[in-house]
Amino acid sequence: MIKNTNAFILSYNQYKNSSIIASFLTDNSIIQAICYRAKKNSKSFGSDLESISKLNINIYKKNENHLSILKESSIIKNYKILEKSIYSSLAVFYIREIFLHCAKDFDNRYFILMEKTLDALESLEENNYDDKIKKMYIDILIRAFEIKTLHIAGISPNLDKCIICGNSDNTLFYSILEGGLICSKCKNIIKDSIKITENDKLFMRIIKYTSLIDIIKNEDLKNIYNNSINNVKNIMEKSIFNHINKTVKSRKVLEEIL
Ligand SMILES: [Zn+2]
């Protein structure tokens, strides 16, 4: 059966001499496909797979137990400006790796989030900010990407009231395992409570509820970024780890450059 679908590439690995095995994020989970002679036959799809693009692919699916075969691919939209930026390219590497682990459920929101994240990065790159501001916004966008991924996975952080007792006062602790705010009374019965500030809560609320494209226009974030990024980054990193149970390799490289 031939299936035609839009897709983003998540990974590709050399297979034997001249072929590639690629993982595609489609609007209906992840498809693995073999691309025969992808290297030699770059005109048909070899180079498409190496770019940061939204693709349209034709996949031949034999049956459930066989790897699909990529028959044809074409670029719908190429994010060239991201390929030229070291910061955005590394951000895309990270996003792809997260989705390889997270986007296995049949949920089209992962595909939408991928597209919106790329669009936001593109818009940011087009803004010609100086490097410092650009890096700050990429850092924030990645945190927003993480919180939105957790939301799709059904473990959206609860940022309104204590997740144990429902109290909305004195909620200046956070639990990764419980996935939300903890009040000063309940903190004693939680093993992994992390002290947070009002600023951290505000930061997480903004990235949870604001669309990605609006995040890069949000001036308030500039003021709360410095005081809260370390705490929010730590919470997101541990929450993602708790969800996928794996260390994300590309994270370290991205951290070093941002
Ligand atoms: Zn409580």
Side-chain angles (χ1 to χ4, degrees):
M1 190 183 83
I2 297 265
K3 182 182 155 78
N4 178 269
T5 182
N6 289 343
F8 291 102
I9 191 141
L10 294 182
S11 72
Y12 58 91
N13 294 298
Q14 201 71 26
Y15 176 70
K16 292 191 177 161
N17 266 339
S18 56
S19 300
I20 284 173
I21 291 183
S23 294
F24 296 97
L25 176 71
T26 72
D27 59 4
N28 186 340
S29 100
I30 297 174
I31 295 180
Q32 267 209 327
I34 184 159
C35 322
Y36 288 115
R37 291 167 52 79
K39 277 274 160 193
K40 282 180 196 161
N41 199 355
S42 67
K43 212 177 145 210
S44 58
F45 41 62
S47 55
D48 294 358
L49 302 187
E50 286 166 22
S51 68
I52 300 175
S53 301
K54 182 180 181 181
L55 303 169
N56 182 268
I57 54 173
N58 273 326
I59 295 266
Y60 174 66
K61 209 168 176 10
K62 224 174 178 180
N63 62 43
E64 282 307 312
N65 303 321
H66 279 80
L67 208 55
S68 300
I69 298 167
L70 181 70
K71 288 292 188 191
E72 231 177 304
S73 78
S74 58
I75 292 179
I76 298 175
K77 177 172 179 176
N78 183 212
Y79 293 87
K80 214 164 211 99
I81 199 164
L82 305 189
E83 292 169 12
K84 287 181 187 157
S85 156
I86 181 78
Y87 310 117
S88 283
S89 314
L90 289 174
V92 172
F93 261 103
Y94 177 69
I95 288 163
R96 286 171 171 172
E97 193 180 348
I98 291 283
F99 269 173
L100 268 180
H101 300 303
C102 289
K104 288 171 188 159
D105 315 328
F106 291 82
D107 192 324
N108 70 341
R109 289 177 296 170
Y110 292 113
F111 185 86
I112 296 167
L113 179 57
M114 182 76 173
E115 184 157 30
K116 291 198 166 169
T117 310
L118 295 179
D119 287 345
L121 284 169
E122 180 184 54
S123 172
L124 181 64
E125 292 288 353
E126 283 167 353
N127 255 328
N128 286 321
Y129 285 128
D130 66 49
D131 263 18
K132 201 176 154 217
I133 300 286
K134 197 206 284 187
K135 286 201 262 185
M136 177 195 77
Y137 274 123
I138 290 179
D139 209 5
I140 299 169
L141 275 177
I142 292 298
R143 269 41 304 155
F145 164 80
E146 290 167 336
I147 211 166
K148 289 172 197 301
T149 300
L150 291 169
H151 175 75
I152 299 172
I155 37 177
S156 187
N158 188 328
L159 304 172
D160 301 316
K161 49 195 178 191
C162 172
I163 202 159
I164 304 294
C165 72
N167 189 351
S168 46
D169 300 321
N170 297 316
T171 50
L172 288 176
F173 296 90
Y174 191 93
S175 161
I176 308 288
L177 295 176
E178 298 295 334
L181 300 181
I182 302 290
C183 76
S184 50
K185 280 184 196 152
C186 297
K187 108 177 210 295
N188 298 323
I189 54 168
I190 296 294
K191 283 182 198 150
D192 70 328
S193 66
I194 298 170
K195 180 97 185 76
I196 56 167
T197 65
E198 288 295 339
N199 219 45
D200 300 342
K201 271 162 46 177
L202 180 63
F203 191 116
M204 288 195 281
R205 283 196 187 117
I206 295 175
I207 58 172
K208 181 177 171 185
Y209 294 114
T210 312
S211 70
L212 290 160
I213 203 79
D214 286 332
I215 281 175
I216 53 173
K217 297 175 197 150
N218 190 313
E219 293 287 324
D220 293 342
L221 278 167
K222 277 189 196 168
N223 303 322
I224 57 176
Y225 174 80
N226 284 335
N227 292 324
S228 283
I229 186 64
N230 287 340
N231 232 357
V232 172
K233 200 182 265 188
N234 177 37
I235 288 172
M236 286 303 123
E237 179 179 9
K238 287 181 176 156
S239 302
I240 293 277
F241 180 80
N242 188 46
H243 175 46
I244 64 177
N245 242 312
K246 276 195 183 80
T247 307
V248 184
K249 288 181 211 144
S250 56
R251 185 182 186 102
K252 201 165 170 261
V253 195
L254 181 63
E255 300 266 281
E256 276 167 12
I257 203 159
L258 286 181

